[in-house]
Amino acid sequence: MWGYDNFVEALQLQKDLTQKYPGLLFDNSIQTNGSLLNEKWIDFFSENEFNIGISIDGPDDINFHKGALGSDVVLDNIRMLSEKNCHFGILSVITNKHQGRADDYYDFLVEHNIHSVGFCYCVYNLDEHSTVRNDVLTSFLKRFFIRFYEGSFRLNVREFDNVIKICLGIPTHSCTFAKRERCGNFFSIRPNGEVYFCDPYSLDVPSLGNVLKDTFEDIKSKPELLRIMIAAREGAQMRCADCEVKSLCGGGCYRSTYPDGSNAFCDTFKRLYPFIEDYVRSYRKSE
């Protein structure tokens, strides 16, 4: 929607900057519903090593992102991404519609040759505790993990990969598992230049500044940001101090914290992470 010429111009700007500042690196990625992709765009993204994220949540009847055209156009474009060896994956919002559908979801990935997945457990309204039910989420993720772990289909699942790494003592770069020690290092910038902490669910959250007039040094020194960082870290320390899965969980994402300080998905983490850990331990013993 931003326009092809603007993408070309942005890449040229990156090239100019890397020549001016040796050692400066850029990673380019986009998140899209996939409906406007075509061969020209896909060739461009492939040639310039873009990472493409497609928003699709499984078969049509559980696809939260389904538009007026349905999923056929998006799936055709996914096939083209695969044929042109473009690096892509999907992000899926898990809702109550996914209850009992883990096998269908896994088979959907296999059918459409999708090898990289990230799950989004979204809180739609923090004040009303409106989100996917923990029992639905837990059941879905446990069953899907079994298919993922025992299946022959090559598949990267962002959330599972991170937990497995932690179980094996391998560092993970995901901020979600970092005990909120990285809160304050990531920002969102909206088209008008407004800067926000992390990636807020709501459009009504106050901004921390604007890149058109503020430097990031100014923004990172704002008292508002410091208050958020302290609340995030102290909340994890206080709530998670006696939790049996704190070494695997890391407190969860601060964005999913309710006003009372509890994490929306604590119940899921307490049941899912030991389940994954048992699988990893069993596998290591069998080697």
Side-chain angles (χ1 to χ4, degrees):
M1 292 177 67
W2 192 42
Y4 185 88
D5 291 342
N6 282 321
F7 274 81
V8 173
E9 185 178 347
L11 283 184
Q12 184 59 52
L13 176 61
Q14 291 179 5
K15 291 177 182 178
D16 293 343
L17 287 170
T18 53
Q19 290 178 355
K20 185 176 181 180
Y21 302 103
L24 181 65
L25 299 174
F26 288 93
D27 284 322
N28 293 304
S29 61
I30 65 163
Q31 185 65 30
T32 172
N33 65 16
S35 62
L36 296 182
L37 292 176
N38 55 34
E39 188 169 8
K40 178 180 178 180
W41 276 110
I42 292 173
D43 284 341
F44 173 81
F45 292 140
S46 179
E47 290 166 6
N48 293 287
E49 299 182 332
F50 270 69
N51 294 306
I52 311 300
I54 305 291
S55 300
I56 191 168
D57 314 309
D60 250 10
D61 60 328
I62 59 173
N63 185 13
F64 180 79
H65 287 96
K66 183 175 68 173
L69 298 177
S71 300
D72 289 346
V73 171
V74 178
L75 292 173
D76 284 342
N77 288 333
I78 284 176
R79 280 189 285 274
M80 196 186 310
L81 286 167
S82 181
E83 290 167 359
K84 290 182 176 289
N85 297 315
C86 197
H87 189 274
F88 78 96
I90 69 170
L91 280 181
S92 294
V93 175
I94 307 304
T95 68
N96 290 330
K97 287 185 176 182
H98 285 74
Q99 185 171 16
R101 302 295 299 277
D103 288 306
D104 294 336
Y105 182 92
Y106 182 88
D107 293 339
F108 170 85
L109 300 180
V110 175
E111 178 185 354
H112 297 290
N113 202 33
I114 297 169
H115 294 276
S116 182
V117 177
F119 291 134
C120 300
Y121 325 136
C122 292
V123 180
Y124 308 115
N125 188 311
L126 288 170
D127 293 321
E128 296 178 5
H129 290 209
S130 176
T131 184
V132 57
R133 297 201 321 265
N134 272 264
D135 61 317
V136 172
L137 181 61
T138 304
S139 176
F140 174 85
L141 292 176
K142 277 187 171 183
R143 177 58 191 166
F144 186 79
F145 180 82
I146 293 172
R147 295 293 305 274
F148 156 80
Y149 204 77
E150 297 182 352
S152 59
F153 183 68
R154 180 175 56 82
L155 182 62
N156 295 316
V157 181
R158 180 181 60 188
E159 288 70 25
F160 295 164
D161 291 348
N162 282 309
V163 179
I164 291 171
K165 284 181 178 179
I166 294 170
C167 291
L168 296 175
I170 301 171
T172 174
H173 298 294
S174 173
C175 59
T176 303
F177 295 87
K179 301 177 183 176
R180 301 185 189 166
E181 293 175 357
R182 297 175 192 165
C183 287
N185 290 336
F186 300 92
F187 300 98
S188 298
I189 306 173
R190 293 189 183 153
N192 61 1
E194 294 293 301
V195 179
Y196 297 84
F197 168 80
C198 196
D199 184 12
Y201 288 133
S202 172
L203 297 176
D204 300 325
V205 176
S207 73
L208 297 170
N210 191 297
V211 292
L212 299 180
K213 60 181 180 180
D214 302 310
T215 67
F216 275 104
E217 287 77 10
D218 292 335
I219 292 169
K220 292 200 72 170
S221 64
K222 291 283 184 76
E224 302 95 310
L225 178 61
L226 183 60
R227 283 195 290 269
I228 296 172
M229 292 168 60
I230 291 173
R233 295 174 189 182
E234 289 185 347
Q237 292 168 0
M238 293 173 61
R239 281 272 177 178
C240 306
D242 299 322
C243 180
E244 61 270 25
V245 298
K246 65 179 180 181
S247 61
L248 295 173
C249 173
C253 181
Y254 181 61
R255 292 187 307 150
S256 302
T257 302
Y258 289 137
D260 65 2
S262 63
N263 189 286
F265 306 111
C266 270
D267 288 345
T268 293
F269 299 155
K270 288 177 181 178
R271 287 179 282 174
L272 176 67
Y273 294 163
F275 177 80
I276 293 176
E277 187 177 33
D278 287 344
Y279 258 83
V280 174
R281 285 179 175 174
S282 298
Y283 180 79
R284 296 190 77 180
K285 286 180 181 178
S286 66
E287 288 184 320

